[in-house]
Amino acid sequence: MELIFLGTGAGVPAKERNVSATALKWTERKGRTWLFDCGEATQHQILHSPVKLGKVDHIWITHLHGDHLFGLPGVLGSRSFQEAETPLTLFGPEGLRRFVDTVLTVSQTHLRYECEVREVTSGVVYEDDDVRVICAELDHGIPCFGYRIEEKDRPGSLRTDLLQALGVPPGPLYRRLKAGEDVRLPDGRMIRAREVLGPPKRGRIVTILGDTRPTEAAVRLASQADVLVHEATYRAREAALAVKHGHATTVDAARTAERAGVRTLILNHISPRYGVEDEPELLAEARAIFPETYVARDGWCYSVISRD
């Protein structure tokens, strides 16, 4: 699992940071990719990244402000022009369906793939055999959501040494036991999967928040996460501006990470008023409270490693 930061700025594009877009690439699932927010020029950022539009099968929009949304029409159209035919599902607040329908109709853009729009409310919004996604509304002035991506626990490693001692031949029986299925041997013995598997491997948790003031919803979404991606639009001494405009400071993000017990904090959505020369100050403010903190930059990739 890898996070690829395509746009890490706030509000308007800057020379050093484009507006919001983050990709989550499932390296264990044939490279399928989820995109979180889609600010202006996201497709241009993708050209300089490991992301392939044809592999993007879910797009999650946190809210409908332009710096998180205005790149979506281009991504939808280019995915079609590149002859992708696999389905694409969009998630986001109420109004997303109207936006997509309007822009496709007015521009007469035809998509060669099925595109479904799901407007979300707080709770479980997606689940398959491997992953569950929970969202909750944050505090930003307009409906804005954060997403908690929970990878489900996986079976432990197969104890092949134990199976060999029991006289179980390698092959299909090993695969069934690895999948958690009990098997009966030709001689009548029953082999219980739980007795020949190691401890389950804990699934990873990634929390990606939209714009927000400090809120309990963010703490709940981030609880025990391996990675929390949290906006840090302002430095600490500009807390009044953060409150006024519905945003967080570096210190707000660090306190949320500390309270939630996360493993790693990544600061994102940095105001264009700050240049590269300001990053050490932003990082120091957060690390004074939560040492395992990084500042995202456009093009940066971060591997999410399992705790096991």
Side-chain angles (χ1 to χ4, degrees):
M1 185 188 291
E2 186 175 42
L3 285 165
I4 303 166
F5 291 89
L6 302 169
T8 58
V12 297
K15 290 181 179 180
E16 295 160 344
R17 296 180 185 275
N18 196 47
V19 285
S20 294
T22 303
L24 179 61
K25 185 176 181 180
W26 300 91
T27 51
E28 308 86 349
R29 304 172 83 183
K30 299 182 179 179
R32 63 181 293 195
T33 301
W34 291 2
L35 189 60
F36 291 83
D37 283 332
C38 199
E40 180 183 350
T42 291
Q43 64 173 320
H44 292 268
Q45 298 292 89
I46 286 174
L47 293 174
H48 304 286
S49 80
V51 175
K52 306 297 182 186
L53 274 180
K55 292 286 189 178
V56 175
D57 57 4
H58 291 73
I59 298 178
W60 309 80
I61 301 298
T62 61
H63 63 296
L64 302 184
H65 277 156
D67 59 323
H68 297 254
L69 183 66
F70 285 170
L72 184 58
V75 165
L76 296 179
S78 291
R79 190 177 188 271
S80 186
F81 297 147
Q82 293 177 13
E83 300 186 351
E85 296 182 346
T86 53
L88 176 66
T89 306
L90 312 180
F91 297 81
E94 182 180 356
L96 179 61
R97 180 178 294 108
R98 183 158 53 95
F99 175 83
V100 171
D101 288 345
T102 299
V103 76
L104 293 179
T105 300
V106 171
S107 66
Q108 298 187 42
T109 300
H110 170 72
L111 304 183
R112 63 175 64 239
Y113 53 85
E114 178 186 349
C115 182
E116 178 186 1
V117 179
R118 301 183 188 177
E119 295 184 337
V120 302
T121 55
S122 296
V124 177
V125 291
Y126 176 83
E127 187 164 9
D128 62 25
D129 291 341
D130 303 310
V131 183
R132 176 188 301 109
V133 180
I134 301 166
C135 81
E137 188 166 352
L138 304 173
D139 181 10
H140 184 50
I142 71 168
C144 182
F145 291 89
Y147 296 100
R148 175 184 175 91
I149 305 96
E150 298 179 344
E151 185 180 46
K152 296 181 181 179
D153 292 347
R154 293 158 289 166
S157 300
L158 196 62
R159 293 282 308 278
T160 55
D161 57 335
L162 185 55
L163 290 171
Q164 290 170 2
L166 291 170
V168 181
L173 295 181
Y174 277 35
R175 289 194 293 272
R176 290 167 60 188
L177 288 164
K178 175 66 176 175
E181 180 184 348
D182 298 338
V183 301
R184 187 177 295 278
L185 302 182
D187 61 12
R189 288 182 295 156
M190 178 66 76
I191 305 297
R192 305 291 182 185
R194 67 176 180 274
E195 297 172 355
V196 295
L197 288 173
K201 296 180 180 179
R202 178 187 177 275
R204 292 161 291 186
I205 300 172
V206 174
T207 299
I208 300 175
L209 302 182
D211 298 359
T212 188
R213 301 178 182 93
T215 172
E216 290 299 315
V219 176
R220 292 193 298 270
L221 284 175
S223 178
Q224 302 304 309
D226 293 281
V227 179
L228 167 62
V229 180
H230 196 301
E231 72 126 293
T233 307
Y234 295 99
R235 56 189 167 196
R237 63 175 177 266
E238 291 168 329
L241 279 176
V243 171
K244 178 180 178 180
H245 297 297
H247 289 293
T249 67
T250 52
V251 168
D252 293 331
R255 286 172 177 160
T256 295
E258 182 180 49
R259 291 185 59 205
V262 308
R263 188 178 178 189
T264 299
L265 168 65
I266 298 177
L267 303 180
N268 194 26
H269 200 265
I270 308 299
S271 170
R273 71 184 60 204
Y274 309 126
V276 173
E277 68 280 3
D278 297 304
E279 287 182 12
E281 178 187 353
L282 302 176
L283 190 59
E285 289 178 348
R287 283 186 171 175
I289 296 168
F290 193 82
E292 194 61 29
T293 300
Y294 301 89
V295 177
R297 296 189 69 183
D298 290 16
W300 184 49
C301 299
Y302 180 87
S303 295
V304 185
I305 307 299
S306 173
R307 299 190 191 203
D308 297 324

